[in-house]
Amino acid sequence: MSKHQTGPPRWMDRIVELYCRPELLEDLQGDLYEYYERNLKKSRSKANLIFFIDVIKFFRLYTVRKPKILGQMTFFNLFKNYFKTSIRSIARNKLFSSINVVGLAISMSIGILMITYISELLTYDDFHKKSDRIYRIISAYKGISDTEPDLYASTSVFLGKKLKEEYTGIEKVLLMRRNFIKDIAKGENVISVRGHFASEEFFDVFSFKLLSGDPATALKEPNSVVLTKTTAEKLFKDKDPVGEVVTSGEENFVVTGLMEDVPVNSHMQFEALASFSTAENAARKEENSAFLTWRSIWRNYVYLLVPEDGDLNSIQANLNEIASTENAKTDRYAINFELENLADVMPGKDLSNKIGSGVTWQVINMMITLTMIVIISACFNYTNLSIARSLRRSKEVGVRKIVGASRGQVFSQFITEAIIISFIALLISFGISMLIKPEFIQILSGGMKVLLDLRYIHILYFLLFSVAIGVIAGFVPSLILSKLQAISALKDASKLKLLKKINLRRVLIVFQFTLSIAFIIGSTISYKQYKHALNFDLGFNTENILNIDLRGNNSDILLAEMSKLSEVTAHSRSAMVMSTGDTWSDIFKYKDPLDSASAHVNYVDRNYLKVHDFEFLAGDIFPYDLNDGQEAKYVIVDELFIERFGFESPDQAIGEAVTLLQRSGQSRLEIAGVIEGFQYAQIERRRKPVVFFQGSDDSYGYLNLVVKTDDIFSFMGRLESVWKQIDTVHPFRAEFYDDRIKESYEGYAIMFKIFGFLAFLAISIASMGLLGMAVFTTETRIKEISVRKVMGATEKHLVYILSRGFVFMLVIAAFIAMPLTYLFFTSVVLADNANRTPIGAFELLFGVLLIFFLGILTIGWQTWKAAKTNPAEMLRNE
Amino acid sequence: MKGTNLGEFEEVVLLTIASLLDEAYSVNIVDEIGKVTGRKTKLGVVHAVLKRMEDKGLITSELGEPTKERGGRRKRFFQISHSGKIALLKSREQRDKLWSLIPDVVFQGVR
């Protein structure tokens, strides 16, 4: 409290002001001040105290304001009236109401789907009873040359074992390992299953339901498997599989449990679980296995069940302790750990090596932002049109105010109107959302199931959402209308200050059009990038090549049968399909023992390079194909490889030996040929040196058949029947190279779809808004137009006068949107893309022109109509 | 009717207002009661009584000039209304009547 202050503390005053009736306030406060002044002679603090006590004492029935409930009661009484007025006003202005309703409905349909989607994501893993106590350990791996650590959902077995054996404070430590992928057989029945390895704690930690078998021991012994219901039914029909033995190659597995199918909203999905000890046994047999090393954090997962009174800090401290001890042993990398609650797993952080596919918060936030932008844009229509039309409503407001409506009441009346519009829009948007739901699901589901099922609670969400939209849309117009002074509203409506708000309206229109143009440009660019990716010259031929997934079959047998078909003109074998996303790499050295470089690799047979039309700069294809067990001798490298290692020329490289570094040791290989550089990875990645190894039957993954046929369907049918003779377990999987490439660039296609859809929404909303404004402007200026016409203005001139304001706004929107979108795409979306299509004037101008065309069409239609009217009829009415 | 008779404290306040003529406002009334009768009264009590009597129509009030010691707020001056005067007179009359009925012997020794 400052010394200069003469009165009592302000806050005490405030209390009086808060409770005291306004008509008594001045008198009462004055008295208190007078007393205060007297008491000040004693001391300030005493005066303050007495003042405070008096403030409290004056809180009496007769001084206290009547509670506001009465005011609110009138709101409810008046609600019927508000409702009626709103409905009448909506019905009277059919054009404007439908513009508002349709615009809101279109954008709200996306909102509805987003709400459903997000609420579905939030239910993930909530069926685990102990979910609040389950934590996953995530690893932060920082290599010597990295500036930021990479985050992994996986961690090491080493860590899990250490926590289990040497530390306390954790109720259960569950170890898991990815990819238990096997073909399992029971007699004649063979099925392939995908699942994980899990230690015996699995059913203690998670609440997956075991229908048969002992949850405590089901995953204890090596070679035990737990099958889900659907999987078990395929093998055993309705029989209880527990105790049965299934075979997989030479291994036997005992079925120790039957569990319910994994719910869709589980972050891990599997058809079977094998005991973790199975994986441990397998690792023990392998030489140089990295299974138990500190470094091996790529495929294993550790889940902790923390006791109810558990101390997370001490667990984290233990993790840090282990990390610092182990990290001290090497300077090449550092691994640290964090705990993550099960609730934060999905949706969660952007982690690598997740056990299942997941959605990150980043993606969700981006989707919410885009949705919000579209919705807000539709709200602007309402705001704009309502402000424009508010002149017509000002008389109503004036009368209401004169008969005693308070500002709050007028405000709530107009908000009510907006909410009613929004409710009508909700009904329509619900229909629209049902229509676009399948498409939406397709865009959203990247490897994971999206159901978008509706639950009862969603009705509540939708209603709240609708109210929120109504409030956002109606806020500004309601505020402006409720501020109107009764007298000025009734006296001369045309002189109202409302017209000053015209700038706000312009800003809103410019915003809408900027958005539309940006979305159109965005969709054009992504479409062009997609086309660019598809037509990109990879440096080798992919046309008419059919890639058949071998799925573990012997390639010689399949090839022998399939090449009998007359349509197959040539064939080859390879380990993987290049340019479609997968990349394999190895480390190589040439003469300098200290200079090593990583190169992309593929294992291929003799025919491969000829079948795919690679250009040889020197040397030739592999002289022979490897037989079983034969050591590889040759490699074929590309241009970039010889540049990287400083060979003088392609010819000089032929016959030189390079060293391949692998975990099991080094091997020296001779360069048999040099080919031109080509695109091994997807086109957005920069080219790296490439090395082709001589492949063997162990390494081949695909057959590549060159197919020449007019009747592709019957050919595929015959091919499949050949496959079925050889492999009875796996379904036939074959795909043309070009189709595969197309699929691998699906991302751009989806981006195009999303932007295209958003553009469609933004354009329809903006055009409707523009139409509304144009109708309004011509309506209000009809007298001016008539007078001008009488004075001799031509129709052309009138159209010019009426539309120049709008055209000016469109131009501004274009000038904002073009550079922004350009920057957004060049520096954010396609920033890391090595082969991006240039963004030219066409892409930028196309959107602008389209919007101009639509805009001018909209305005032109209205203004032309206005300019054509007979001025005599308009003026006669006066 | 019960409300027609004045309460004891009401009567005191009413009398004080009457005696203060144009200077009767809350703080002054409290001071005056203290000075004349020696009774310590609280502002809150006086306030409540003033409000009640105004509601009954025994007094009327108007706002005066703002003053510095009141933090720039105006004083509310009270004046006794016609019905207030009648009430006072009536009350006095009742008392006088009762006094006149008491024989002097009752107070012997007290005076």
Side-chain angles (χ1 to χ4, degrees):
Chain A
M1 210 182 305
S2 75
K3 295 231 163 158
H4 307 289
Q5 193 181 352
T6 49
R10 185 77 190 103
W11 62 270
M12 294 188 189
D13 250 0
R14 289 246 168 81
I15 299 178
V16 186
E17 281 159 21
L18 206 66
Y19 71 71
C20 188
R21 290 185 191 191
E23 69 266 24
L24 292 178
L25 179 67
E26 182 164 9
D27 187 24
L28 203 151
Q29 246 178 344
D31 287 354
L32 288 175
Y33 265 72
E34 216 172 318
Y35 264 64
Y36 182 80
E37 200 78 359
R38 273 186 210 174
N39 291 327
L40 218 51
K41 283 170 197 134
K42 297 171 194 164
S43 79
R44 180 171 280 272
S45 57
K46 198 156 182 185
N48 280 340
L49 182 70
I50 294 170
F51 189 87
F52 181 68
I53 292 170
D54 280 342
V55 165
I56 303 294
K57 272 165 67 180
F58 266 110
F59 188 83
R60 290 163 186 237
L61 211 58
Y62 77 93
T63 58
V64 178
R65 289 168 196 253
K66 269 190 210 142
K68 271 282 182 179
I69 297 167
L70 284 172
Q72 279 159 12
M73 290 295 282
T74 47
F75 171 77
F76 286 111
N77 293 336
L78 278 171
F79 183 78
K80 214 172 119 192
N81 176 278
Y82 294 165
F83 188 75
K84 216 184 253 172
T85 342
S86 301
I87 294 290
R88 280 180 191 157
S89 145
I90 291 167
R92 198 180 321 127
N93 309 307
K94 288 202 180 66
L95 175 68
F96 293 96
S97 309
S98 38
I99 287 176
N100 284 330
V101 169
V102 174
L104 282 176
I106 291 175
S107 63
M108 278 165 79
S109 60
I110 310 289
I112 281 184
L113 290 175
M114 282 304 293
I115 291 174
T116 327
Y117 180 53
I118 291 170
S119 64
E120 180 171 318
L121 289 181
L122 291 178
T123 65
Y124 263 72
D125 294 310
D126 65 357
F127 57 90
H128 294 300
K129 290 191 189 75
K130 302 168 190 161
S131 65
D132 54 326
R133 293 195 283 133
I134 302 174
Y135 287 83
R136 173 169 82 172
I137 297 183
I138 60 179
S139 312
Y141 179 91
K142 188 165 175 279
I144 188 162
S145 54
D146 299 338
T147 47
E148 285 289 313
D150 288 327
L151 291 177
Y152 293 88
S154 53
T155 182
S156 57
V157 181
F158 178 92
L159 179 76
K161 296 244 172 207
K162 199 132 189 144
L163 283 176
K164 204 173 189 173
E165 283 152 18
E166 294 173 27
Y167 289 90
T168 54
I170 303 168
E171 198 172 311
K172 299 275 178 195
V173 178
L174 165 65
L175 288 171
M176 289 192 72
R177 185 172 172 83
R178 226 178 348 158
N179 295 354
F180 170 69
I181 301 170
K182 286 267 190 268
D183 297 335
I184 55 173
K186 177 70 196 172
E188 291 290 290
N189 254 344
V190 188
I191 54 164
S192 59
V193 293
R194 304 179 68 87
H196 307 296
F197 298 94
S199 64
E200 59 197 86
E201 291 86 359
F202 187 82
F203 292 103
D204 291 331
V205 175
F206 293 124
S207 307
F208 292 111
K209 223 164 138 196
L210 206 57
L211 298 171
S212 168
D214 179 4
T217 58
L219 291 165
K220 194 165 185 187
E221 299 303 322
N223 289 34
S224 315
V225 287
V226 172
L227 302 178
T228 59
K229 207 161 172 249
T230 316
T231 317
E233 270 166 13
K234 281 190 217 154
L235 270 189
F236 297 98
K237 302 283 171 314
D238 292 337
K239 220 170 82 187
D240 185 357
V242 173
E244 299 278 342
V245 175
V246 292
T247 54
S248 167
E250 277 150 31
E251 282 179 293
N252 286 332
F253 287 93
V254 183
V255 180
T256 50
L258 171 70
M259 63 176 283
E260 261 183 5
D261 285 340
V262 180
V264 172
N265 59 347
S266 163
H267 78 279
M268 54 172 87
Q269 294 290 332
F270 51 86
E271 293 162 343
L273 285 175
S275 55
F276 195 76
S277 44
T278 317
E280 277 178 307
N281 269 1
R284 229 170 270 147
K285 282 177 203 151
E286 209 180 302
E287 252 178 89
N288 291 324
S289 165
F291 188 74
L292 284 173
T293 58
W294 161 246
R295 220 203 129 156
S296 173
I297 59 167
W298 320 113
R299 278 182 66 183
N300 305 293
Y301 303 87
V302 175
Y303 291 86
L304 305 180
L305 181 65
V306 175
E308 254 154 58
D309 54 350
D311 180 8
L312 287 180
N313 291 333
S314 80
I315 297 173
Q316 182 65 51
N318 292 344
L319 290 174
N320 294 346
E321 186 186 304
I322 299 172
S324 61
T325 326
E326 295 300 323
N327 285 335
K329 293 178 187 166
T330 174
D331 58 355
R332 305 210 22 102
Y333 54 87
I335 304 171
N336 284 294
F337 306 103
E338 274 171 51
L339 289 170
E340 189 182 57
N341 187 270
L342 194 62
D344 303 325
V345 168
M346 171 75 191
K349 285 191 211 142
D350 188 11
L351 301 173
S352 307
N353 291 0
K354 280 190 268 213
I355 198 163
S357 29
V359 179
T360 61
W361 275 114
Q362 282 165 312
V363 174
I364 295 179
N365 289 339
M366 201 189 79
M367 289 197 289
I368 293 177
T369 314
L370 285 178
T371 316
M372 285 306 287
I373 288 177
V374 173
I375 292 177
I376 297 277
S377 175
C379 288
F380 283 176
N381 267 357
Y382 185 89
T383 307
N384 248 346
L385 291 176
S386 304
I387 296 176
R389 314 251 338 144
S390 55
L391 277 179
R392 308 268 163 106
R393 304 289 295 271
S394 60
K395 285 241 161 66
E396 180 191 334
V397 175
V399 172
R400 271 184 195 278
K401 283 219 162 170
I402 277 171
V403 293
S406 71
R407 226 175 105 178
Q409 282 169 334
V410 175
F411 183 81
S412 43
Q413 182 209 337
F414 285 99
I415 285 284
T416 311
E417 195 169 317
I419 293 174
I420 290 172
I421 291 260
S422 152
F423 274 139
I424 300 173
L426 179 71
L427 287 179
I428 300 175
S429 72
F430 191 75
I432 301 178
S433 75
M434 287 297 128
L435 281 179
I436 58 174
K437 195 162 145 182
E439 190 74 357
F440 199 71
I441 289 179
Q442 204 205 335
I443 290 176
L444 289 178
S445 52
M448 53 182 288
K449 253 196 183 144
V450 178
L451 298 176
L452 297 190
D453 280 342
L454 290 173
R455 283 174 286 142
Y456 285 114
I457 186 77
H458 285 138
I459 297 173
L460 180 69
Y461 294 160
F462 295 160
L463 289 179
L464 287 177
F465 170 64
S466 182
V467 170
I469 295 296
V471 172
I472 295 172
F475 187 79
V476 176
S478 309
L479 199 68
I480 292 173
L481 280 167
S482 66
K483 264 189 189 163
L484 279 184
Q485 301 265 305
I487 296 176
S488 54
L490 289 175
K491 214 161 94 191
D492 188 0
S494 61
K495 277 186 190 155
L496 281 180
K497 281 182 187 163
L498 278 175
L499 291 173
K500 278 187 184 162
K501 302 287 174 195
I502 216 148
N503 277 331
L504 173 70
R505 268 163 42 203
R506 283 197 181 131
V507 169
L508 296 186
I509 290 185
V510 168
F511 174 85
Q512 285 181 326
F513 277 94
T514 309
L515 207 66
S516 309
I517 294 174
F519 281 142
I520 296 188
I521 296 176
S523 58
T524 347
I525 293 175
S526 26
Y527 184 69
K528 199 182 170 197
Q529 183 67 31
Y530 180 53
K531 279 279 161 219
H532 178 69
L534 294 191
N535 298 328
F536 191 77
D537 182 12
L538 298 169
F540 61 96
N541 177 39
T542 55
E543 219 173 310
N544 293 331
I545 294 179
L546 183 70
N547 292 314
I548 300 171
D549 191 343
L550 282 171
R551 318 202 70 178
N553 288 296
N554 185 303
S555 60
D556 289 325
I557 301 171
L558 267 177
L559 209 52
E561 290 299 319
M562 286 183 172
S563 54
K564 280 182 196 159
L565 296 171
S566 61
E567 289 91 341
V568 179
T569 57
H571 56 79
S572 69
R573 288 165 287 181
S574 62
M576 44 100 60
V577 179
M578 300 185 296
S579 307
T580 57
D582 285 351
T583 55
W584 296 8
S585 297
D586 271 310
I587 310 276
F588 294 89
K589 280 185 187 173
Y590 180 43
K591 281 176 179 160
D592 183 354
L594 292 175
D595 181 32
S596 64
S598 141
H600 288 312
V601 299
N602 194 359
Y603 296 80
V604 299
D605 73 353
R606 278 193 81 199
N607 298 337
Y608 186 83
L609 295 174
K610 282 282 177 252
V611 163
H612 292 80
D613 283 345
F614 282 91
E615 285 293 324
F616 275 86
L617 297 174
D620 207 346
I621 58 172
F622 295 125
Y624 52 84
D625 271 332
L626 294 182
N627 292 322
D628 265 355
Q630 198 179 0
E631 281 287 310
K633 194 181 166 203
Y634 295 105
V635 287
I636 290 171
V637 300
D638 79 336
E639 225 176 342
L640 264 71
F641 187 87
I642 64 167
E643 272 165 30
R644 170 64 186 79
F645 282 106
F647 292 95
E648 282 158 24
S649 69
D651 289 316
Q652 184 259 324
I654 303 297
E656 288 290 311
V658 291
T659 312
L660 163 69
L661 303 177
Q662 276 175 324
R663 216 177 48 223
S664 51
Q666 304 190 343
S667 46
R668 289 177 72 76
L669 296 156
E670 195 183 317
I671 298 176
V674 179
I675 53 171
E676 254 180 21
F678 68 99
Q679 195 68 33
Y680 176 101
Q682 280 190 293
I683 67 157
E684 57 264 27
R685 304 265 295 267
R686 248 163 249 294
R687 285 184 184 185
K688 253 168 76 167
V690 183
V691 173
F692 285 106
F693 293 117
Q694 284 177 288
S696 65
D697 208 51
D698 299 337
S699 51
Y700 294 141
Y702 292 90
L703 290 185
N704 327 111
L705 305 182
V706 181
V707 176
K708 218 172 175 176
T709 173
D710 295 328
D711 187 1
I712 192 71
F713 288 104
S714 84
F715 170 70
M716 290 298 270
R718 273 175 287 146
L719 211 53
E720 190 165 356
S721 60
V722 173
W723 171 273
K724 279 193 172 144
Q725 283 162 21
I726 295 161
D727 186 337
T728 49
V729 180
H730 302 104
F732 177 61
R733 239 196 256 160
E735 204 171 10
F736 277 98
Y737 210 141
D738 286 341
D739 293 342
R740 177 79 183 266
I741 289 176
K742 207 170 172 179
E743 256 167 48
S744 70
Y745 292 110
E746 187 78 339
Y748 291 124
I750 287 178
M751 191 156 84
F752 166 66
K753 255 188 200 167
I754 293 176
F755 273 111
F757 186 57
L758 288 177
F760 169 73
L761 293 187
I763 294 169
S764 12
I765 290 165
S767 307
M768 282 191 292
L770 193 66
L771 175 68
M773 289 310 293
V775 169
F776 177 75
T777 317
T778 45
E779 248 176 39
T780 43
R781 290 175 75 179
I782 193 75
K783 225 165 268 164
E784 179 197 330
I785 295 166
S786 308
V787 173
R788 277 179 193 275
K789 219 171 167 187
V790 170
M791 305 298 270
T794 60
E795 281 163 4
K796 237 197 261 168
H797 187 67
L798 287 174
V799 170
Y800 166 74
I801 288 174
L802 284 170
S803 51
R804 69 178 164 192
F806 292 111
V807 175
F808 181 62
M809 285 190 273
L810 287 183
V811 172
I812 294 178
F815 275 106
I816 299 173
M818 282 196 287
L820 280 183
T821 335
Y822 183 80
L823 275 180
F824 179 69
F825 269 86
T826 48
S827 58
V828 181
V829 181
L830 301 173
D832 301 324
N833 197 319
N835 286 302
R836 67 171 174 234
T837 159
I839 299 172
F842 172 76
E843 285 74 36
L844 293 176
L845 285 178
F846 173 72
V848 176
L849 287 178
L850 185 67
I851 290 295
F852 267 55
F853 175 72
L854 281 175
I856 287 171
L857 204 68
T858 319
I859 305 161
W861 171 37
Q862 281 308 314
T863 48
W864 183 248
K865 213 170 88 182
K868 290 283 267 185
T869 47
N870 185 351
E873 263 170 39
M874 284 301 142
L875 293 175
R876 200 169 45 194
N877 286 345
E878 267 305 274
Chain B
M1 210 163 80
K2 204 181 163 206
T4 46
N5 284 332
L6 285 172
E8 191 266 345
F9 191 66
E10 279 179 345
E11 194 177 344
V12 172
V13 175
L14 211 51
L15 287 168
T16 317
I17 293 173
S19 71
L20 282 172
L21 294 176
D22 289 342
E23 288 301 314
Y25 76 98
S26 48
V27 177
N28 220 355
I29 295 170
V30 174
D31 292 349
E32 187 72 12
I33 294 174
K35 215 158 67 193
V36 178
T37 67
R39 285 162 68 160
K40 278 258 175 199
T41 46
K42 293 283 178 212
L43 184 62
V45 182
V46 172
H47 236 272
V49 169
L50 286 173
K51 162 91 177 137
R52 192 160 65 231
M53 291 200 298
E54 195 175 6
D55 289 346
K56 281 185 191 169
L58 298 176
I59 51 176
T60 57
S61 70
E62 60 193 31
L63 288 169
E65 287 299 302
T67 59
K68 190 176 163 287
E69 69 262 31
R70 291 173 69 86
R73 286 167 186 86
R74 288 173 293 179
K75 290 173 185 170
R76 182 176 292 276
F77 288 106
F78 292 93
Q79 268 170 339
I80 188 156
S81 69
H82 182 69
S83 61
K85 287 173 188 161
I86 289 179
L88 271 183
L89 287 173
K90 202 170 141 199
S91 147
R92 186 175 180 176
E93 200 178 309
Q94 285 171 351
R95 265 149 231 234
D96 284 351
K97 241 185 215 161
L98 288 169
W99 275 111
S100 66
L101 293 177
I102 302 170
D104 284 350
V105 280
V106 177
F107 289 98
Q108 234 169 20
V110 179
R111 256 190 245 223

